[in-house]
Amino acid sequence: MTFRTRFAPSPTGPLHLGHAYSALLAFDKARADNGAFLLRIEDIDTTRSRPEWEDRIYANLKWLGIAWDEPVMRQSDRLPNYMKALRALWDNGVLYPCTCTRRDIAEAASAPQEGAEPKIGPDGPVYPGTCRPATPPTGPMPKGVALRLDMARALAGRPVFGYLETGVNPGPKHVSAGHLISGVGDIVLSRKDFPGSYHLSVVLDDAAQDITHVVRGEDLADATQIHLLLQSLMDLPTPVYHHHRLIRDEAGKRLAKRDDARAIATYRDEGKTPQDIRRLVGL
Ligand code: GLU
Ligand code: ZN
């Protein structure tokens, strides 16, 4: 099996040291294994993605000495693929429309009769199930409304999922159906304003790019269980996952897109070299 990995930034701000670490680590691994390193622009957040940021991603990566082996994949070009997958899931009866606002969800989740604090999953508060129908909806897939995955229905009759983790906390991992139902819940797979979601597109795109090894930050480790379920639902292969440590600032805080001080471009403008960046992130 050829090693194929990718770097998948969102063009919503400057790439910082954390991105440099992720991209360099994936690139080095691909080169060490005689494999392929691919680039994917995750620009489905149309309100925050900007062509300027995309151009800077290319410039920053080139400056770091990173080259990608195949044409760049852009999520905004893949809407028909996402629609097709959504329709198949709709026809399988595992999606339902949801018209709740964030506020509705927060209120329902913290209603007094619920007792405990609202649970927070990888996607925010676990959906309290307000719009979940008792039986799968029929008829054509509705447009212009969020579609949620009926987690319990999606898991019914599915065996346990497992995957191999080679990064932080390595070893074989198992995904628990109980946790997916109570700790993750009915996640949004298609947004009101966009036929897709991070989880849906990342899984479809990793499969379309034949990714064998996903290298990404530890902050996405929790989302992996969702990705495994989606791979099972859509009959897609599960890659090996390598979740790496996060690069933090001196105070131990995670770097954010807003941290311009850690932007790769800032280091470059200060006269630092790509070798300096490698040293800074511990490579
Ligand atoms: N686009 C995501 C981000 O910028 C990364 C997705 C992934 O690597 O799975 O954090
Ligand atoms: Zn709802």
Side-chain angles (χ1 to χ4, degrees):
M1 179 172 69
T2 333
F3 182 105
R4 288 172 66 86
T5 191
R6 45 61 165 194
F7 177 55
S10 306
T12 55
L15 292 191
H16 55 58
L17 274 190
H19 295 106
Y21 177 58
S22 206
L24 286 166
L25 184 67
F27 179 70
D28 288 357
K29 280 177 175 295
R31 287 295 174 268
D33 241 284
N34 238 325
F37 171 87
L38 309 188
L39 179 59
R40 179 166 78 228
I41 301 293
E42 301 215 321
D43 57 352
I44 59 170
D45 189 342
T46 44
T47 55
R48 291 169 60 226
S49 297
R50 299 263 179 284
E52 307 87 89
W53 291 124
E54 185 176 331
D55 290 342
R56 288 195 216 178
I57 290 172
Y58 302 138
N60 287 164
L61 293 178
K62 281 182 191 152
W63 180 73
L64 284 169
I66 291 176
W68 41 100
D69 294 304
E70 289 170 21
V72 176
M73 175 180 276
R74 298 171 75 242
Q75 291 191 325
S76 52
D77 294 333
R78 298 206 3 101
L79 298 204
N81 305 71
Y82 304 150
M83 284 297 282
K84 192 172 162 220
L86 284 168
R87 268 197 216 98
L89 291 170
W90 175 265
D91 291 344
N92 280 337
V94 293
L95 299 182
Y96 63 87
C98 168
T99 50
C100 296
T101 61
R102 265 176 219 277
R103 185 158 166 194
D104 295 336
I105 294 170
E107 280 174 6
S110 60
Q113 62 270 26
E114 298 283 324
E117 286 282 294
K119 267 202 190 158
I120 305 295
D123 262 5
V126 173
Y127 182 63
T130 322
C131 298
R132 187 192 307 127
T135 53
T138 49
M141 186 170 82
K143 286 196 181 115
V145 62
L147 298 176
R148 287 187 182 273
L149 179 68
D150 186 327
M151 190 59 87
R153 203 180 292 284
L155 282 161
R158 254 161 232 286
V160 185
F161 318 103
Y163 68 98
L164 180 63
E165 171 66 58
T166 61
V168 171
N169 212 346
K173 303 284 170 195
H174 293 285
V175 176
S176 125
H179 178 68
L180 277 173
I181 292 173
S182 64
V184 175
D186 294 359
I187 50 166
V188 169
L189 285 195
S190 182
R191 295 181 344 200
K192 186 175 162 206
D193 57 334
F194 183 90
S197 70
Y198 161 66
H199 300 299
L200 182 86
S201 41
V202 83
V203 160
L204 287 168
D205 297 347
D206 281 339
Q209 290 189 302
D210 286 323
I211 298 302
T212 61
H213 291 73
V214 169
V215 176
R216 63 184 177 192
E218 208 184 342
D219 53 329
L220 288 168
D222 255 8
T224 307
Q225 49 190 330
I226 300 172
H227 300 169
L228 261 86
L229 166 64
L230 294 179
Q231 285 152 5
S232 166
L233 276 174
M234 300 190 286
D235 248 329
L236 302 171
T238 291
V240 171
Y241 286 89
H242 185 100
H243 290 98
H244 60 69
R245 65 185 164 84
L246 299 180
I247 303 293
R248 297 174 185 277
D249 66 13
E250 293 78 12
K253 254 183 58 223
R254 262 180 67 186
L255 301 181
K257 284 253 159 85
R258 297 169 293 284
D259 280 339
D260 269 18
R262 326 273 160 186
I264 297 171
T266 308
Y267 288 98
R268 186 197 55 206
D269 295 347
E270 284 170 357
K272 296 261 193 305
T273 67
Q275 271 315 316
D276 294 330
I277 303 289
R278 280 183 174 270
R279 258 193 305 276
L280 275 170
V281 298
L283 280 173

